[in-house]
């Protein structure tokens, strides 16, 4: 398997969006604070029955992000030959995004997706490594990532990359009241 990682302009967002981000939800994590340790959580896996499909794009493709100033956004894509097999979007110095906390030294991994048939083959790790490299090049000191309690594979992936869970926010999504926001942080 030969994977090429390329930085592209946001003009490629429509093609990027063709990579499915959908996944099967079969379990969720319940975050329990660790007593006596600030910003430390223990994750307990709970089975979900019946399983269901979550698609973050769900009727609203990533091109909706173009409503913001994307001049400090970078689209990073993974290709196998001519086939787009995954991608990531990293954002920094974008004051209109509250997620960046008004900081110029904080980058956000806004989106990470790998085509279903390519998952579990290291594509996500390659993309993540490139995102970290980019964030360092633009002099960020931390990388912030948002996911949900129902995205167990993403939580496991970010923990494996050295990220730590720093925020657990119930009721963060009015349209999805049963989902809990998990914010992860990686010191660069």
């Amino acid at each position: 398997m030969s994977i090429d990682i390329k930085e592209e302009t946001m003009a490629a967002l429509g093609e990027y969006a063709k990579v499915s981000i959908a996944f099967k939800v079969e379990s969720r994590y319940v975050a329990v604070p660790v007593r006596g340790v600030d910003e430390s959580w223990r994750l307990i896996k709970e089975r979900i029955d019946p399983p269901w499909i979550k698609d973050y794009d769900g009727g609203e493709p990533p091109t909706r992000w173009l409503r913001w100033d994307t001049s400090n956004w970078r689209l990073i894509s993974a290709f196998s030959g001519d086939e787009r097999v995954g991608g990531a979007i990293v954002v920094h110095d974008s004051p209109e995004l509250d997620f960046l906390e008004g900081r110029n030294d904080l980058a956000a991994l806004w989106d990470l997706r790998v085509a279903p048939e390519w998952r579990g083959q290291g594509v996500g790790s390659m993309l993540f490594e490139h995102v970290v490299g980019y964030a360092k090049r633009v002099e960020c000191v931390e990388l912030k990532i948002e996911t949900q309690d129902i995205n167990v594979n993403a939580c496991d992936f970010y923990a494996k990359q050295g990220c730590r869970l720093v925020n657990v926010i119930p009721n963060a999504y009015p349209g999805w009241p049963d989902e809990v926001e998990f914010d992860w942080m990686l010191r660069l």
Side-chain angles (χ1 to χ4, degrees):
M1 165 183 81
S2 175
I3 300 294
D4 293 316
I5 305 294
K6 300 176 184 174
E7 284 188 30
E8 299 183 285
T9 68
M10 291 300 284
L13 192 58
E15 289 302 310
Y16 170 95
K18 292 179 182 177
V19 175
S20 176
I21 198 167
F23 63 96
K24 187 181 222 180
V25 178
E26 299 177 286
S27 55
R28 73 172 351 116
Y29 274 130
V30 175
V32 178
V34 175
R35 291 184 161 212
V37 182
D38 286 342
E39 291 186 350
S40 187
W41 303 87
R42 184 168 52 98
L43 296 178
I44 301 169
K45 192 183 290 187
E46 277 186 354
R47 190 133 188 85
I48 291 180
D49 192 30
W52 52 283
I53 301 296
K54 174 70 175 187
D55 185 354
Y56 289 113
D57 293 343
E60 260 195 320
T63 51
R64 72 188 181 277
W65 302 328
L66 295 174
R67 71 182 183 266
W68 294 312
D69 175 2
T70 59
S71 56
N72 288 326
W73 295 43
R74 291 300 172 269
L75 191 153
I76 300 164
S77 296
F79 291 90
S80 175
D82 292 333
E83 179 187 6
R84 184 183 300 270
V85 299
I89 295 178
V90 61
V91 180
H92 76 284
D93 196 16
S94 294
E96 65 190 323
L97 299 180
D98 292 338
F99 192 67
L100 290 173
E101 305 170 17
R103 294 173 50 188
N104 293 333
D105 65 347
L106 176 63
L109 175 55
W110 192 257
D111 189 70
L112 177 68
R113 57 184 65 214
V114 175
E117 63 275 15
W118 285 88
R119 293 177 187 165
Q121 298 183 47
V123 175
S125 295
M126 292 171 71
L127 287 164
F128 191 86
E129 183 179 318
H130 199 91
V131 164
V132 166
Y134 176 80
K136 287 178 179 179
R137 281 196 319 271
V138 296
E139 300 181 354
C140 289
V141 297
E142 289 184 300
L143 179 68
K144 188 175 180 183
I145 305 125
E146 175 184 341
T147 192
Q148 292 71 40
D149 62 330
I150 58 156
N151 197 341
V152 169
N153 288 338
C155 292
D156 291 344
F157 174 79
Y158 295 128
K160 184 178 175 186
Q161 303 307 313
C163 303
R164 70 187 200 295
L165 181 60
V166 295
N167 287 317
V168 175
I169 308 169
N171 306 312
Y173 311 106
W176 302 280
D178 294 334
E179 295 180 23
V180 177
E181 179 179 331
F182 282 5
D183 294 340
W184 299 80
M185 199 73 88
L186 178 69
R187 183 159 296 284
L188 303 174

